[in-house]
Amino acid sequence: MNLELSEEQEAVRRLAEDFVAREVTPHAVAWDRAEEVDRAIVKKLGSVGFLGLTVPEEYGGSGGDHLAYCLVTEELGRGDSSVRGIVSVSLGLVAKTVATWGSEEQKREWLPRLASGEALGCFGLTEPGTGSDAGNLATRAVRDGDDYLVSGTKMFITNGTWAEVVLLFARTDDTPGHRGVSAFLVPTDSPGMTRRAIHGKLGLRGQATAELVLEDVRVPAAAMLGPEGKGFTVAMSALAKGRMSVAAGCVGIAQAALDAAVRYAGEREQFGKPIASYQLVQELISDIAVDVDAARLLTWRVADLIDRGQDFATAASKAKLYASEAAVRAANNALQVFGGYGYIDEYPVGKLLRDARVMTLYEGTSQIQKLIIGRALTGVSAF
Ligand SMILES: Cc1cc2nc3c(=O)[nH]c(=O)nc-3n(C[C@H](O)[C@H](O)[C@H](O)COP(=O)(O)OP(=O)(O)OC[C@H]3O[C@@H](n4cnc5c(N)ncnc54)[C@H](O)[C@@H]3O)c2cc1C
């Protein structure tokens, strides 16, 4: 793998850096305090091409490679993880999955709208009773003529109150475990669906997170994504690529922590000298820097494997595991460099730590990533 960015990739990275400096960074603290990102950001993300970055051009996307996607995701994560998550979910988990598994009709119906930001997607897998054990979900889709009637509750759904469509996973037969699960594309204004915003999150406060309750929601059989009973395979294929995007967002958090720590250590003086001159402060900063590089290299490797059509799932779990833990460590180390000021939200590092904390939890906890990696190495499944 060539670690030097091509001119095109560097141009995409710079575009994202400029976008974040103009449209995200100036508002991030206010959005965090208000617990709401300005919804106008969705259209802006669409017009600059970020919501359709890896969607094929024939469906309204820009047909970019996965390294370009990592570069954009990293820059967005550097600016505000709440904004990064909007893209990771709508593009990474929903649009890309429609592009991979969808019928021609489904692709024509949803991809141009998702790529432009005219519509936003959300991913409905987790339920109140099933998080890590997602294959045991309880939401049911019962056949009724040419339709299904879907009932159940989905929990912690990113973009949930904003999205126009949910990629929803429901049980279409009573076979226990993941074999009875199918995937559906369901408009969120369907009669019988109610959405409740979840507030009080530790981090990602600006992001719209919701509980979705479905009561006999009528979904045409043509809205099934992928074959009947293969919904769990659809979900896992989405999450494997999604983990690369979370990892790239974590690199962005760690890079932001590094930038902030280096700047502050050079400005802040104690005992008559900048704190940057003290070796124990340099240790905190160098630990962050090593984490940034290691996390970025693991993440780029996943992009390279995907773009070359190689197996990438275990590499994606390694990158997600390492980068998410690294982002928490990096933000925590940066907060230490800031001393008491790091604890106040006028300074950036407290938010970085709060936003980083969820990364070891969603899209598969760190424990689940270790089990996936362990299964690949030993051939024995713990699930
Ligand atoms: C802000 C936020 C946004 C989210 N967005 C979405 C979304 O858009 N769509 C969606 O579907 N979900 C989403 N989620 C849900 C998220 O993916 C789940 O929270 C996550 O999968 C963990 O599930 P759980 O919370 O039920 O924890 P549990 O599965 O109950 O886990 C609790 C603890 O037990 C451990 N554990 C569980 N099983 C094992 C095991 N076999 N071996 C060892 N340890 C184990 C876990 O690692 C964890 O430490 C989101 C969550 C949050 C907080």
Side-chain angles (χ1 to χ4, degrees):
M1 177 187 183
N2 183 359
L3 294 178
E4 204 175 335
L5 298 181
S6 68
E7 264 179 41
E8 207 174 300
Q9 287 163 338
E10 181 52 33
V12 172
R13 196 202 60 73
R14 222 172 308 112
L15 178 71
E17 187 180 25
D18 292 347
F19 179 88
V20 167
R22 207 177 50 249
E23 303 288 354
V24 178
T25 313
H27 313 290
V29 171
W31 290 340
D32 184 59
R33 286 180 181 160
E35 283 199 60
E36 187 164 28
V37 165
D38 180 358
R39 216 192 146 146
I41 198 76
V42 174
K43 281 277 161 58
K44 292 177 185 172
L45 288 164
S47 4
V48 79
F50 295 163
L51 285 167
L53 201 63
T54 53
V55 169
E57 286 172 87
E58 57 181 310
Y59 299 110
S62 10
D65 63 24
H66 285 80
L67 187 53
Y69 180 38
C70 281
L71 298 170
V72 169
T73 317
E74 176 181 330
E75 291 300 330
L76 293 175
R78 196 151 75 91
D80 188 347
S81 293
S82 291
V83 175
R84 193 276 303 161
I86 294 170
V87 175
S88 289
V89 171
S90 191
L91 166 61
L93 294 184
V94 181
K96 275 297 288 177
T97 312
V98 174
T100 305
W101 291 89
S103 63
E104 192 54 32
E105 203 183 340
Q106 288 169 331
K107 290 184 202 177
R108 299 254 165 242
E109 181 180 1
W110 288 110
L111 291 181
R113 295 176 61 200
L114 289 168
S116 67
E118 186 196 326
L120 202 63
C122 67
F123 186 80
L125 180 63
T126 303
E127 299 185 354
T130 52
S132 300
D133 188 13
N136 268 319
L137 58 83
T139 296
R140 293 178 62 85
V142 179
R143 188 82 195 215
D144 184 48
D146 288 340
D147 302 326
Y148 285 88
L149 290 174
V150 185
S151 299
T153 302
K154 295 291 171 180
M155 194 64 179
F156 295 140
I157 306 307
T158 302
N159 295 344
T161 46
W162 284 11
E164 277 73 24
V165 61
V166 52
L167 173 49
L168 188 96
F169 300 90
R171 188 164 293 290
T172 42
D173 81 44
D174 289 334
T175 314
H178 61 82
R179 285 193 181 79
V181 174
S182 300
F184 297 89
L185 287 165
V186 186
T188 51
D189 60 0
S190 303
M193 187 176 320
T194 47
R195 302 186 273 173
R196 184 182 67 83
I198 297 173
H199 291 291
K201 298 196 295 286
L202 177 67
L204 298 187
R205 285 199 192 150
Q207 200 166 75
T209 310
E211 180 185 43
L212 311 185
V213 179
L214 295 95
E215 287 168 314
D216 284 336
V217 174
R218 188 166 285 281
V219 179
M224 186 180 281
L225 186 73
E228 182 168 356
K230 288 285 176 205
F232 196 68
T233 309
V234 173
M236 291 305 111
S237 76
L239 288 173
K241 279 191 187 154
R243 283 168 189 148
M244 180 197 73
S245 165
V246 173
C250 290
V251 176
I253 293 176
Q255 181 68 57
L258 179 62
D259 297 343
V262 169
R263 201 167 44 244
Y264 188 79
E267 290 165 0
R268 175 73 172 170
E269 291 194 358
Q270 288 295 284
F271 304 97
K273 284 196 287 186
I275 58 170
S277 63
Y278 299 116
Q279 288 166 335
L280 293 177
V281 173
Q282 290 190 9
E283 181 188 43
L284 290 168
I285 290 173
S286 70
D287 284 351
I288 303 173
V290 174
D291 266 339
V292 169
D293 281 357
R296 186 180 285 126
L297 289 172
L298 281 169
T299 305
W300 284 14
R301 180 176 66 165
V302 184
D304 180 57
L305 288 169
I306 297 175
D307 287 335
R308 287 190 297 108
Q310 306 286 311
D311 281 349
F312 64 90
T314 311
S317 283
K318 288 179 184 171
K320 197 271 180 181
L321 170 63
Y322 188 87
S324 59
E325 297 285 347
V328 175
R329 271 196 306 272
N332 199 35
N333 280 338
L335 198 148
Q336 195 68 20
V337 171
F338 272 71
Y341 294 94
Y343 205 64
I344 309 297
D345 80 349
E346 275 166 43
Y347 293 82
V349 288
K351 177 176 182 303
L352 292 175
L353 181 57
R354 288 188 286 104
D355 287 349
R357 195 59 193 83
V358 77
M359 307 297 164
T360 70
L361 301 173
Y362 68 11
E363 298 208 21
T365 65
S366 288
Q367 287 72 30
I368 294 302
Q369 304 310 328
K370 288 178 186 177
L371 294 179
I372 293 171
I373 297 163
R375 180 178 61 190
L377 291 168
T378 63
V380 184
S381 177
F383 301 117

